[in-house]
Amino acid sequence: MTQSKPKFAPQISVPATYMRGGTSKGTFFKLSDLPERCQVPGKARDNFLLRVIGSPDPYGKQIDGLGNGSSSTSKTVILSEAKQANHDVNYLFGQVNIAKPMIDWAGNCGNLTAAVGACAINMGIVDAKKVAASSESGICEVRIWQENIGKTIIAHVPVYQDENGNVQVQETGDFELDGVTFPAAEVKIEFIDPVDSSSDMFPTNNLVDDFNVSGCGLDKDSVKATFISAGIPTIFMKAEDLGFTGTELQGDINSNSETLAKLEKIRAKGGVAMGVFKDIIEAQSSQHIPKIAWVAPAQSYTASSGKAVDESDIDLVVRAMSMGQLHHAMMGTAAVAIAAAATTQGTLVNEAAGGGSLGEVRFGHPSGTLLVGGKTEQIDGRWQAKKVSMSRSARRIMVGEVFVPADAF
């Protein structure tokens, strides 16, 4: 008797690590562990990762995948051996759209960057001799090549020697990061030369522009804006020009469809103004870049956790949109843009922080505060950010296998 073929696709399993990095979570893969046809860019890889996360989901919950219905958790990372000299790991990031069958490969995730060094060590990608030698200092300096943007990032990963003499990543500790419930080990991150030396950090060649926002639903046709490309292309505006205070929480923005539509129109126009898009139609193809953010002088407010943030403890307040929603804290890449803009005299961010020469600022965001530092300078008439730094934390949540239907990709 001939046995008929099953009318369903079996599931395949792929090794994966589920990690928190900063205020984001993502599913991490080692490139060589992926199905062969997913080891190169293309439709198969995208479809595989979409199914892992549970997108596209018209319900917006990603119930049938590892995403959690939030831009902060709808993320994937692929790590591999570094191809660039003097680097330890190659890091490729994919921002998975929740409702659409789309993955945005255009930018980096600064929050998940905090987890890359630790994950690369645990996956055996970082040279074992280098890891072993770091036990004396307690810090393994992992040099990361960020493939999406072609930049170097250095992660200072805390390590310790276990009872068997093996060097392990330290994940627990007493470092508190607003937006994350539990303390963990501090991971210091340095973004090296986050702006191309051949380009200007301010793509319009101005620190502040008169930005045409006609047709966007504001009560004026032109507002002041700082367009910056550091960490991630970002449009900074004054909170008051948008009708905001700068102390908004997610519920104030994300529950208002009219406000969201207005901000998306402004983001699209800003993307054209700073050269990210040819026209506003093209903006529909990328929600990941540019980001739109608004700033205001320091003021007291209550964070989403109920924690009181006092204006005396911060230099300014900042709110930023991510994938069409107000971020619950602050994207790591946007924090790079904030640091670069705040430490450049004359930008809207610098002015909101009090103006003058600044080497670091602490800004208030929906979940609390964050300290960032930066160094910018003008070279041959172009502004450049030489280095931006911040502290985050990271932790493994799950290591195992993720299952995906074989016909999904």
Side-chain angles (χ1 to χ4, degrees), residues 235-301:
I235 308 156
F236 287 108
M237 304 169 67
K238 293 181 180 179
E240 61 182 335
D241 285 341
L242 295 170
F244 300 149
T245 63
T247 61
E248 289 76 20
L249 302 182
Q250 282 189 302
D252 301 321
I253 302 295
N254 297 345
S255 60
N256 190 321
S257 58
E258 184 179 337
T259 296
L260 293 176
K262 177 170 62 178
L263 290 170
E264 179 57 24
K265 287 180 180 178
I266 295 170
R267 189 190 75 87
K269 276 206 164 191
V272 175
M274 65 190 302
V276 175
F277 307 127
K278 291 180 293 186
D279 51 48
I280 58 174
I281 300 299
E282 190 180 355
Q284 297 176 9
S285 66
S286 176
Q287 278 194 308
H288 188 52
I289 61 170
K291 302 299 186 188
I292 181 171
W294 53 96
V295 299
Q299 52 195 293
S300 299
Y301 65 97

Side-chain angles (χ1 to χ4, degrees), residues 366-382:
S367 293
T369 70
L370 179 64
L371 179 69
V372 293
K375 180 183 179 182
T376 62
E377 56 187 43
Q378 221 171 4
I379 302 174
D380 296 330
R382 292 192 299 265

Side-chain angles (χ1 to χ4, degrees), residues 3 7 12 37 81 95 105 121 130 132 185 187 202 209 293 298 307 310 317 329 372 379 397:
Q3 190 172 9
K7 296 180 181 180
I12 65 163
R37 61 185 181 276
E81 293 183 1
Q95 178 71 52
W105 300 99
I121 292 173
K130 177 175 183 175
V187 180
F202 302 99
D209 281 276
K307 172 184 176 181
D310 193 273
V317 290
V372 293
I379 302 174
I397 296 172

Side-chain angles (χ1 to χ4, degrees), residues 86-146:
N86 302 316
H87 287 75
D88 299 301
V89 61
N90 191 80
Y91 159 39
L92 180 66
F93 168 69
Q95 178 71 52
V96 180
N97 193 292
I98 296 171
K100 300 177 183 178
M102 184 173 74
I103 298 181
D104 200 323
W105 300 99
N108 177 33
C109 175
N111 274 302
L112 287 188
T113 297
V116 169
C119 192
I121 292 173
N122 288 325
M123 285 182 170
I125 297 174
V126 180
D127 182 74
K129 292 181 179 179
K130 177 175 183 175
V131 176
S134 66
S135 62
E136 289 187 21
S137 65
I139 296 292
C140 184
E141 185 181 285
V142 180
R143 294 183 63 85
I144 301 164
W145 179 253
Q146 213 305 315

Side-chain angles (χ1 to χ4, degrees), residues 354-372:
S357 178
L358 302 172
E360 62 181 23
V361 294
R362 182 176 294 278
F363 63 87
H365 56 72
S367 293
T369 70
L370 179 64
L371 179 69
V372 293

Side-chain angles (χ1 to χ4, degrees), residues 23-202:
T23 55
S24 292
K25 288 190 294 186
T27 307
F28 287 64
F29 297 94
K30 190 174 182 179
L31 179 64
S32 57
D33 287 337
L34 292 175
E36 188 174 354
R37 61 185 181 276
C38 299
Q39 293 181 18
V40 293
K43 188 175 181 180
R45 174 187 285 181
D46 283 11
N47 287 342
F48 170 79
L49 295 175
L50 283 163
R51 197 67 167 89
V52 166
I53 299 301
S55 289
D57 184 354
Y59 304 104
K61 304 297 183 184
Q62 296 174 317
I63 293 297
D64 203 23
L66 289 174
N68 291 306
S70 162
S71 67
S72 299
T73 58
S74 190
K75 299 171 181 283
T76 59
V77 170
I78 300 173
L79 302 182
S80 57
E81 293 183 1
K83 298 174 184 176
Q84 299 288 326
N86 302 316
H87 287 75
D88 299 301
V89 61
N90 191 80
Y91 159 39
L92 180 66
F93 168 69
Q95 178 71 52
V96 180
N97 193 292
I98 296 171
K100 300 177 183 178
M102 184 173 74
I103 298 181
D104 200 323
W105 300 99
N108 177 33
C109 175
N111 274 302
L112 287 188
T113 297
V116 169
C119 192
I121 292 173
N122 288 325
M123 285 182 170
I125 297 174
V126 180
D127 182 74
K129 292 181 179 179
K130 177 175 183 175
V131 176
S134 66
S135 62
E136 289 187 21
S137 65
I139 296 292
C140 184
E141 185 181 285
V142 180
R143 294 183 63 85
I144 301 164
W145 179 253
Q146 213 305 315
E147 185 177 347
N148 303 78
I149 59 175
K151 292 294 178 183
T152 298
I153 303 171
I154 300 175
H156 299 267
V157 181
V159 296
Y160 69 98
Q161 197 169 55
D162 66 17
E163 57 187 13
N164 297 317
N166 299 317
V167 178
Q168 307 285 354
V169 173
Q170 179 190 340
E171 297 176 285
T172 60
D174 57 8
F175 175 73
E176 295 186 356
L177 178 64
D178 286 336
V180 178
T181 304
F182 303 107
E186 181 180 11
V187 180
K188 293 182 179 179
I189 304 293
E190 294 177 288
F191 296 82
I192 308 300
D193 293 325
V195 179
D196 289 328
S197 59
S198 60
S199 62
D200 198 308
M201 185 165 68
F202 302 99

